[in-house]
Amino acid sequence: MEYAPRSTYENELRLLRDTEDVKVLVGVRRCGKSTLLRWLQGDLLDSGVGAGNVFYRRMDLFGMPTNPNAEWLVGEISDAIEKSDPLKPFYVLLDEIQDVDGWERIVRQLHTRPNTDVYITGSNAYVLSSDLATLIGGRYVEMRVQPLSFSEYLSFSSYYDVRFPNEDSAFAEYLRYGGMPALFHLKERDQDRIAQLLRTVYETIILNDVVERTKIGDVDLLSKLVRYVFTTSGSLFSANKIANTLTSYGRKTRIETVEAYLRALVDALILHACEQVGLSGKDILRPQRKFYPVDTGLRNLASGFVSGDIGFQIENVVYNELLRRGWSVTVGSLRAGEVDFVVERAQKRMYIQVTESLVDQGVFEREISPLLLIGDSWPKFILTADRLRCGVTEEGVAIVNVIDWLLGR
C-alpha cells in the first residue's frame, strides 16, 4: 500500500529520535499510528541504520501469537539484539503494544538499556499513560495521533487522485465522512462502502478497546449511550442528565454507570470530553461537559449520515483541530451566554465561537455578544462557513472563514 506523507508527525518523530524518553504514539484505532511507525522504520533504514538494528513488531498482524506475552516478546527482542551491531543504536518499534500481556515490564527494561531507542503505539490512553508513569517515572513523551486534519485530507485527496470540484465540496465530504486515512484506500467511495468501513472501525474500537478492556457487561446500554452522545455532540451535558435521558428511552441506568462508560470511551480515544469553566470570576456550582467524537465520520455513522446539525459538525472539527494544534480547550460560561471554546497554551489564551453562518443578524448578535462580555484583551474569533461578514468588527472580534482557518490562511 502506498504511503501518503503526514509531515507534521514525521517531523516530530525525527526530532524525538535518539532522545532518552520512550516515545508513545497514542490514538484511536485506524487513525494512522501503525502507518507512521512503518514510515519510521523506513526512515531509519534510509538514514543509514542497519536493518539488524531496527526491531519492528506489529502485534495484531497475522502470524503473531494469538495471546502474545512478555516472555515471547523478550525472546524475540533478545535474539535481535544478539544479531545487531553493538556499537550502534538499537531501535525498538512495537505497534499496538497493549495486546501483549506484561508489556510494561519489557518497556521498562528496554528504557534502562544503553543506546536503545524505544517507540510504542497503543489505542488506550489510560492503559499506556498510567502504567508507564508508574514504571518509568514519567520518562516518556506522548505523541497524540489523530485522524486526518482537513489540510491532510486535501493532501491525501491529491496523493490518491480523489477529485473534488472545489474546497467547499471537499470540506462538505470531510464533515460528512470524517478523516480516517483508510477512506482513501477504498476503490469505490460511495456512501455504502464508506459506511461499511466506518462501521468496522467503530465496532473494533467498541469491542476491543472499550468492552473487552474495561469488562463492560451491558453492551446494549453502551451502544445507546454512544449513539446519544455522538448525535448530540456539542451540547452541554451532565452524567445525571444523560442517565435521565437514557431512562426516558426505556434504559434505566445509574449515574455511576454512565460515568464509567464515558470514561471508557474517552480512554479508548474515540471520544473527547470538554469541561465547562466560568468566565465571570465565579466557579460553576454544577459544571457540565461537551463531548466530541474524534472523527465526524464516526459521529455521523450513528445517525445514518442524516443531513443536519452542520453547525455542530463544524464545531466538532474545530475542537479536534484545536487539540491537534496543541491547545487546551474548555467551554466558557458567562451569566448571559456561552463561549464555545476557551483555548489556552503557554500563557496564551483565545476565545472562539463557531457557527454555520452569520448571514442572519440575530445569529450574528447571538454569537458575538458573549465575546463582548469578556473583560480581557485576549484575541476573540468567530469561525463560520460563510464569508459574508469576514473581517474584524469595531470591537476587535475577528470573523474568519472556517476553511481558511483550518488551512492556516
Side-chain angles (χ1 to χ4, degrees):
M1 188 177 294
E2 290 184 89
Y3 173 74
R6 300 187 73 178
S7 58
T8 299
Y9 296 119
E10 293 165 11
N11 292 337
E12 189 171 351
L13 284 169
R14 284 190 176 120
L15 288 173
L16 291 171
R17 179 175 163 181
D18 297 323
T19 57
E20 289 185 2
D21 294 336
V22 174
K23 293 77 173 174
V24 185
L25 283 68
V26 295
V28 69
R29 286 185 186 267
R30 303 294 294 275
C31 70
K33 304 184 304 296
S34 298
T35 305
L36 282 168
L37 207 63
R38 268 294 191 189
W39 169 86
L40 176 61
Q41 180 189 28
D43 192 59
L44 290 169
L45 297 176
D46 290 343
S47 68
V49 177
N53 280 57
V54 181
F55 178 89
Y56 170 91
R57 288 291 184 278
R58 179 173 173 178
M59 304 309 164
D60 59 353
L61 281 182
F62 180 79
M64 292 292 105
T66 53
N67 294 297
N69 57 33
E71 184 178 359
W72 164 79
L73 187 54
V74 166
E76 293 277 297
I77 297 173
S78 297
D79 287 346
I81 289 174
E82 282 191 16
K83 298 171 184 175
S84 67
D85 184 343
L87 299 179
K88 296 181 179 178
F90 186 74
Y91 298 88
V92 180
L93 285 58
L94 304 174
D95 194 8
E96 294 298 349
I97 188 63
Q98 78 274 349
D99 290 343
V100 178
D101 186 33
W103 65 269
E104 321 89 73
R105 296 188 297 277
I106 302 173
V107 173
R108 180 182 182 181
Q109 291 173 6
L110 287 169
H111 181 252
T112 60
R113 184 180 184 274
N115 219 17
T116 304
D117 199 7
V118 183
Y119 302 78
I120 64 176
T121 80
S123 302
N124 190 294
Y126 175 76
V127 170
L128 292 173
S129 61
S130 62
D131 290 341
L132 278 177
T134 300
L135 286 170
I136 61 176
R139 295 310 303 269
Y140 69 96
V141 58
E142 185 178 275
M143 190 172 107
R144 290 278 176 136
V145 181
Q146 292 199 56
L148 303 176
S149 67
F150 183 55
S151 176
E152 289 177 316
Y153 189 84
L154 293 179
S155 294
F156 270 54
S157 299
S158 175
Y159 189 88
Y160 289 105
D161 198 28
V162 175
R163 300 176 185 273
F164 297 102
N166 49 50
E167 282 183 354
D168 287 347
S169 62
F171 185 62
E173 182 160 319
Y174 178 71
L175 274 186
R176 189 177 184 84
Y177 299 127
M180 285 293 180
L183 291 174
F184 289 93
H185 303 153
L186 293 172
K187 292 182 179 178
E188 301 290 336
R189 290 172 58 85
D190 58 73
Q191 183 165 300
D192 287 343
R193 288 174 175 81
I194 290 173
Q196 182 179 11
L197 169 66
L198 292 175
R199 192 173 296 110
T200 300
V201 173
Y202 169 82
E203 290 174 355
T204 302
I205 296 166
I206 295 299
L207 294 176
N208 287 14
D209 298 324
V210 181
V211 174
E212 183 179 336
R213 297 205 175 278
T214 56
K215 308 303 178 187
I216 285 176
D218 196 337
V219 179
D220 179 67
L221 176 61
L222 176 67
S223 297
K224 285 183 168 59
L225 172 65
V226 172
R227 179 178 173 80
Y228 176 68
V229 173
F230 274 28
T231 56
T232 55
S233 64
S235 300
L236 280 167
F237 292 111
S238 64
N240 183 55
K241 181 178 179 180
I242 294 174
N244 290 339
T245 302
L246 290 173
T247 299
S248 73
Y249 290 168
R251 281 310 316 256
K252 187 175 178 61
T253 187
R254 298 164 61 235
I255 297 172
E256 294 80 6
T257 302
V258 171
E259 284 286 7
Y261 284 16
L262 287 171
R263 188 163 52 249
L265 291 165
V266 171
D267 288 341
L269 302 164
I270 193 174
L271 191 68
H272 297 299
C274 187
E275 304 289 337
Q276 183 186 37
V277 297
L279 296 178
S280 57
K282 293 184 179 180
D283 291 335
I284 302 170
L285 293 179
R286 293 182 178 85
Q288 301 185 84
R289 290 167 290 179
K290 290 185 178 183
F291 293 98
Y292 294 101
V294 70
D295 181 74
T296 51
L298 296 174
R299 176 196 191 274
N300 294 332
L301 177 70
S303 63
F305 303 102
V306 173
S307 232
D309 286 340
I310 299 300
F312 280 147
Q313 292 181 54
I314 295 173
E315 188 177 315
N316 202 149
V317 166
V318 169
Y319 177 80
N320 288 336
E321 182 67 20
L322 288 167
L323 294 186
R324 192 179 284 110
R325 295 181 184 184
W327 292 96
S328 172
V329 189
T330 53
V331 180
S333 178
L334 294 154
R335 287 191 180 91
E338 171 192 300
V339 177
D340 289 331
F341 300 128
V342 181
V343 300
E344 296 178 294
R345 182 182 63 196
Q347 298 182 326
K348 294 181 180 180
R349 175 181 283 197
M350 295 189 301
Y351 303 99
I352 298 176
Q353 295 282 67
V354 183
T355 185
E356 180 182 359
S357 174
L358 288 175
V359 173
D360 183 86
Q361 181 64 23
V363 173
F364 172 72
E365 292 175 0
R366 185 191 70 205
E367 296 296 334
I368 199 171
S369 50
L371 297 175
L372 300 181
L373 292 173
I374 300 170
D376 63 39
S377 58
W378 290 112
K380 301 171 180 68
F381 296 88
I382 301 177
L383 302 181
T384 176
D386 64 45
R387 299 178 183 273
L388 295 180
R389 295 182 186 261
C390 288
V392 180
T393 69
E394 292 179 359
E395 302 86 356
V397 177
I399 300 175
V400 181
N401 174 264
V402 69
I403 292 177
D404 291 343
W405 180 80
L406 289 168
L407 299 178
R409 296 197 292 236

